[in-house]
Amino acid sequence: MHLSLKSLLREYLRPALMLTLLLTILLGLLYPGVVTALAQLLFPYQANGSLRYADGRLVGSELIGQYWTSPKYFHGRPSATLSDDGSHLQPYNAENSGASNLGPTNKVLVQTVQQRIAELKRENPDAPPGPVPADLVTASGSGLDPDISIAAALYQVPRVAKARGLSQETVRQLVLSHVQGRFLGIFGEPHVNVLDLNLALDALKH
Amino acid sequence: MSITFNSFVQIALFLALVLALTKPLGLYMTKVFNGERTWLSPVFAPLERFLYRACGIDPAREQRWTGYVIAMLVFNLAGMLLLYGLERTQQWLPLNPQHLGPVEPQLAFNTAASFTTNTNWQNYAGEQTMSYLTQMAGLTYHNFISAATGMALAVALVRGLARHSAEHLGNFWVDLTRATLYILLPICLVGALVLVSQGVVQNFNPYTVVHTLDGGLQVIAQGPVASQEIIKELGTNGGGFFNANSAHPYENPTALTNLIEMLAIISIGAGMFYMFGRMVGNTRQGWALWAAAAILFVLGLAVALPAEQGGNPLLAHLGVNQQASALQPGGNMEGKEVRFGITDSVLFTVTTTATSCGAVNSFLDSYTPLGGLVPLANIALGEVIFGGVGSGLYGMLMFAILTVFIAGLMVGRTPEYLGKKIERKEVMMAALALLISPATVLGFAAVASVLPQGLASLTTNTGPHGLSEILYLYTSSNGNNGSAFAGLAGNTPFYNWTGALAMLIGRFAFLIPILAFGGSLVGKRVVPAGPGTFPTTGPLFVSLLVGVILIVGALTYFPAYALGPIVEHLLMLAGRTF
């Protein structure tokens, strides 16, 4: 090894700096730029966020869950996202995604779930008694879960039907027709997209 | 009892896909690193030649192990400084539609160390902190080159084993450039577009403002996500564009993207085992390592999957239905997404920690104690279960050396591996490489669990779970994984500095003995196998190797785990909360 300053510069420093510069241009600018151009050309709907419109008005993204409170809409899962400054809970804040990170033996988790069950039962007096679907009382990983389980949707059918003056059977059929199955019948879990379902509910009225 | 039939089918198919990808990828990588022409050469060879010319690199000139190390260190230092600079000046640079300010110095340092070392630990929320330019030119760039660095080093070590009576291990610049141009970049170009077709976003738009049907206001973060997402997995990096990482629907919208992302995480690591066999002239040597990894992979699933599918008994008492059925995934759904349920969440978690990826599609801090123990132990075992790109192979080879050494001790013969005598110097280097990690992890964790600066960050969880969080932070940092028990408030001076230190030690203090080891082996002669040679291809070797990995891991970490996840599991069954 000849570690003279000159050989150090020629053999190591120049390649290191030049390669850093050129690969930054290639991998950090050209590559994402080319992917963006192709994505915008081939899949503009998906590349821009799968945004949904109703009556010409932007009402959300098919992939990003929303905070639903009105009894006439199906509700999504609890969300543990915080406000932008992190000071307080702000459910479904889509510019600050995140989970509760509550551990399995955390008091706060147990208390929170207990409160959610009570609230859920209060909001859905006509729902079948007994244990409630797990996904309706636990916060998702992203805080932006756009989906609920079939059980969680069926649980809310009596409330939604009553609030809209529809028969439970009509709403039930609507839920079942909006179930998205497993990929190839194997991968993932069957689920119902909440925005999709609620848009269909509103369309039913017209 | 609590695993569903569908779980079995998904896991079997996933492993079959990994198996099917191993040989073609391994063969292709062998060609790339042997400098042969590939079917992509017409496209990339001119670019490759241009890069060498512009950088003053003579591709025919190989380096000794010392030269290889210096090149790697200087190159990584340059990239780390560039990233730090970008983070600190992003407010004046373009592609910042949300007008995000500069990243604070200690957080910028932690992040620069994190992405340079292929860790991608994140003490920040991407959508609140990093401009689009920083995400691309800073973070996406490091996703590529930290992966290519790992691959280059693994190849150098394999050359040390494959060549004999030689001096050189290869040319770092060439290995790095070829890994990037012929392997990572083409797969990413195609993979990113497939992800976009499923709903992963790829734009430079300002965040979208939505007035919801229910009368609310929602601001939805956007960005050039797909191009970073695919290399995040393929390079076993794991740093999410968004805070929620691969749980975020814009990073991982469907079961198909989930499958692609898991395959991207594990395939290069698996393929490198085959490449190793090919380069040393006996593919069965590679398959033996592959088999050991597959056994450990399934073992992890066998613990974590029933634990998560079984759910949280404390919630069952409250009247939560955690039974899997045709209508719901059931199980412990806190921190998990409905589209993935339990199986796809746990499979992703085991995949991301068996390798050094660290991307998550569900939040590990909310896993049951045994469900969370598996990712922790996977990382602590050295991420050799297929492992990170490159790092998995060189880590597994250290265990293989240790295994032949122990086998040699048992029968009283000088151990050999691939026809090379393993002597004092090699065993010292292998032992050093394997001891640095536990010393760093347990040392830092011990300090953090007594200092007020360490304990102050236990803002979400306390009790034994708090200790698990601290152990996880240093295990993940040192193992260059990057997944987290994220309830621990990591963005403090104490954790930013000690975490960054653990990442740098875990990467570079591990790499130097490994290359020294390669440098010492490359000069040795090959002795022909005799009747006393312990074969390193059969089931006996595979079981010994699995045993050594598990015993070394258990002896090192069991006391700490007993106080964290294991005691928490027992207390949870007893109904205790904290």
Side-chain angles (χ1 to χ4, degrees):
Chain A
M1 287 277 308
H2 312 288
L3 266 185
S4 70
L5 188 65
K6 212 176 141 194
S7 79
L8 199 69
L9 288 177
R10 199 185 59 236
E11 280 180 40
Y12 301 109
L13 207 58
R14 179 180 165 204
L17 295 180
M18 284 303 291
L19 206 54
T20 300
L21 177 74
L22 294 175
L23 287 183
T24 299
I25 294 171
L26 176 69
L27 305 169
L29 299 173
L30 287 176
Y31 156 71
V34 167
V35 173
T36 308
L38 289 173
Q40 292 289 337
L41 194 72
L42 299 172
F43 310 105
Y45 171 75
Q46 293 94 321
N48 291 308
S50 307
L51 301 176
R52 293 287 295 264
Y53 293 79
D55 305 329
R57 186 167 77 85
L58 176 63
V59 293
S61 162
E62 184 186 331
L63 293 176
I64 302 294
Q66 302 179 359
Y67 189 43
W68 304 91
T69 49
S70 158
K72 64 179 186 146
Y73 286 117
F74 282 89
H75 298 177
R77 300 179 61 193
S79 157
T81 55
L82 300 174
S83 58
D84 289 358
D85 62 5
S87 65
H88 58 277
L89 268 180
Q90 183 188 325
Y92 287 96
N93 180 1
E95 51 177 344
N96 200 6
S97 57
S100 76
N101 287 309
L102 293 171
T105 56
N106 193 318
K107 266 194 190 86
V108 181
L109 174 71
V110 177
Q111 284 160 5
T112 309
V113 170
Q114 202 163 16
Q115 283 163 11
R116 285 177 189 149
I117 295 173
E119 210 168 307
L120 192 67
K121 293 202 160 170
R122 202 168 45 243
E123 286 172 358
N124 296 280
D126 302 322
V132 298
D135 59 308
L136 266 190
V137 290
T138 50
S140 63
S142 61
L144 304 173
D145 197 337
D147 307 314
I148 50 178
S149 68
I150 307 168
L154 292 177
Y155 189 87
Q156 303 181 51
V157 163
R159 183 197 76 225
V160 173
K162 199 172 174 182
R164 291 194 175 246
L166 292 167
S167 80
Q168 288 196 20
E169 193 45 36
T170 312
V171 180
R172 223 179 85 86
Q173 284 310 323
L174 196 71
V175 168
L176 294 178
S177 66
H178 279 81
V179 172
Q180 296 175 11
R182 294 192 159 106
F183 172 62
L184 301 178
I186 297 166
F187 295 99
E189 291 287 341
H191 56 266
V192 180
N193 183 296
V194 181
L195 179 62
D196 219 28
L197 181 59
N198 284 335
L199 282 171
L201 266 176
D202 278 356
L204 212 58
K205 206 168 47 181
H206 297 316
Chain B
M1 54 143 216
S2 47
I3 302 182
T4 62
F5 176 68
N6 170 265
S7 281
F8 280 111
V9 177
Q10 286 203 49
I11 290 163
L13 276 176
F14 175 68
L15 287 174
L17 284 169
V18 176
L19 181 64
L21 285 168
T22 298
K23 189 176 167 185
L25 258 174
L27 272 179
Y28 178 71
M29 289 193 289
T30 310
K31 275 191 162 183
V32 169
F33 289 113
N34 280 343
E36 295 167 28
R37 274 186 71 82
T38 69
W39 60 280
L40 282 172
S41 294
V43 188
F44 287 107
L47 183 57
E48 187 189 357
R49 280 194 297 272
F50 162 76
L51 285 174
Y52 295 152
R53 218 175 23 248
C55 303
I57 296 163
D58 174 5
R61 216 177 124 191
E62 295 210 339
Q63 295 157 324
R64 292 163 199 267
W65 79 268
T66 39
Y68 209 94
V69 167
I70 295 172
M72 182 267 292
L73 289 175
V74 174
F75 179 67
N76 276 276
L77 182 67
M80 187 170 159
L81 291 174
L82 176 72
L83 174 54
Y84 183 84
L86 266 175
E87 291 179 75
R88 298 286 297 139
T89 56
Q90 64 176 6
Q91 71 279 21
W92 300 313
L93 299 173
L95 293 175
N96 184 4
Q98 297 309 116
H99 307 292
L100 297 167
V103 183
E104 284 168 29
Q106 29 140 331
L107 178 60
F109 173 70
N110 183 284
T111 307
S114 176
F115 278 73
T116 304
T117 57
N118 196 255
T119 310
N120 304 41
W121 179 276
Q122 295 171 293
N123 277 337
Y124 61 89
E127 61 268 51
Q128 289 280 326
T129 317
M130 301 294 174
S131 75
Y132 292 165
L133 184 73
T134 310
Q135 295 266 25
M136 287 167 21
L139 305 182
T140 303
Y141 164 75
H142 274 278
N143 274 278
F144 274 97
I145 63 133
S146 68
T149 299
M151 292 164 84
L153 287 158
V155 170
L157 177 64
V158 172
R159 290 196 188 110
L161 286 162
R163 295 174 176 177
H164 50 91
S165 317
E167 288 177 12
H168 296 110
L169 293 178
N171 181 317
F172 173 75
W173 310 114
V174 172
D175 290 338
L176 178 105
T177 306
R178 290 184 68 88
T180 306
L181 293 186
Y182 291 96
I183 301 168
L184 300 174
L185 190 57
I187 300 179
C188 284
L189 277 169
V190 178
L193 287 173
V194 177
L195 292 183
V196 174
S197 76
Q198 290 289 303
V200 179
V201 293
Q202 181 73 26
N203 60 56
F204 296 116
N205 304 342
Y207 294 179
T208 308
V209 180
V210 172
H211 297 274
T212 67
L213 290 177
D214 212 354
L217 185 81
Q218 191 180 39
V219 182
I220 304 177
Q222 301 286 344
V225 177
S227 52
Q228 184 166 337
E229 186 64 26
I230 186 69
I231 187 63
K232 173 187 109 181
E233 272 94 20
L234 191 69
T236 58
N237 294 282
F241 195 97
F242 300 114
N243 192 38
N245 211 298
S246 282
H248 197 295
Y250 275 171
E251 286 199 23
N252 190 3
T254 64
L256 175 59
T257 56
N258 198 59
L259 180 64
I260 293 170
E261 292 182 12
M262 291 192 298
L263 286 172
I265 290 171
I266 207 163
S267 296
I268 289 189
M272 287 201 109
F273 283 15
Y274 184 86
M275 177 197 80
F276 155 73
R278 192 88 188 171
M279 282 183 164
V280 300
N282 180 358
T283 50
R284 291 181 63 202
Q285 298 285 355
W287 285 118
L289 304 184
W290 198 99
I295 290 169
L296 290 164
F297 189 88
V298 172
L299 273 180
L301 278 174
V303 175
L305 198 54
E308 290 308 297
Q309 190 66 66
N312 183 341
L314 298 171
L315 301 190
H317 292 317
L318 301 176
V320 179
N321 181 356
Q322 300 178 98
Q323 280 292 328
S325 72
L327 300 181
Q328 66 161 10
N332 175 25
M333 284 300 287
E334 182 72 25
K336 296 192 180 69
E337 302 283 297
V338 167
R339 63 191 179 283
F340 304 136
I342 302 297
T343 310
D344 278 4
S345 297
V346 174
L347 189 57
F348 196 106
T349 295
V350 171
T351 304
T352 199
T353 53
T355 65
S356 75
C357 184
V360 292
N361 76 351
S362 54
F363 278 72
L364 309 184
D365 216 348
S366 297
Y367 269 44
T368 59
L370 295 185
L373 173 63
V374 169
L376 180 61
N378 268 348
I379 304 171
L381 292 179
E383 293 155 334
V384 294
I385 308 171
F386 301 113
V389 290
S391 60
L393 179 59
Y394 55 67
M396 190 60 127
L397 286 171
M398 290 302 111
F399 274 113
I401 299 296
L402 202 62
T403 305
V404 294
F405 174 65
I406 290 171
L409 283 182
M410 289 196 275
V411 294
R413 287 187 60 96
T414 309
E416 300 160 16
Y417 189 56
L418 305 170
K420 299 210 167 175
K421 283 206 180 324
I422 305 299
E423 292 165 299
R424 186 161 169 269
K425 187 179 174 196
E426 289 81 47
V427 175
M428 268 178 60
M429 288 300 162
L432 188 63
L434 294 176
L435 283 174
I436 285 168
S437 295
T440 313
V441 170
L442 296 173
F444 275 123
V447 171
S449 22
V450 291
L451 282 188
Q453 289 91 328
L455 295 170
S457 285
L458 297 181
T459 48
T460 314
N461 299 294
T462 55
H465 200 82
L467 178 63
S468 302
E469 284 184 338
I470 294 174
L471 279 169
Y472 203 98
L473 184 145
Y474 291 111
T475 307
S476 174
S477 300
N478 181 266
N480 299 145
N481 188 276
S483 62
F485 274 24
L488 184 136
N491 188 15
T492 65
F494 178 80
Y495 283 109
N496 274 330
W497 290 112
T498 56
L501 215 56
M503 293 184 238
L504 291 168
I505 295 172
R507 179 77 165 180
F508 297 111
F510 189 67
L511 285 180
I512 294 169
I514 280 177
L515 272 185
F517 176 94
S520 142
L521 278 183
V522 76
K524 294 198 180 218
R525 289 181 305 117
V526 170
V527 284
T533 305
F534 177 51
T536 50
T537 50
L540 181 63
F541 173 73
V542 172
S543 356
L544 260 179
L545 177 58
V546 169
V548 165
I549 293 169
L550 287 177
I551 290 167
V552 168
L555 289 178
T556 315
Y557 292 104
F558 184 77
Y561 293 173
L563 296 172
I566 294 173
V567 82
E568 191 192 11
H569 174 68
L570 298 173
L571 291 170
M572 178 181 78
L573 294 182
R576 273 286 299 275
T577 56
F578 295 90

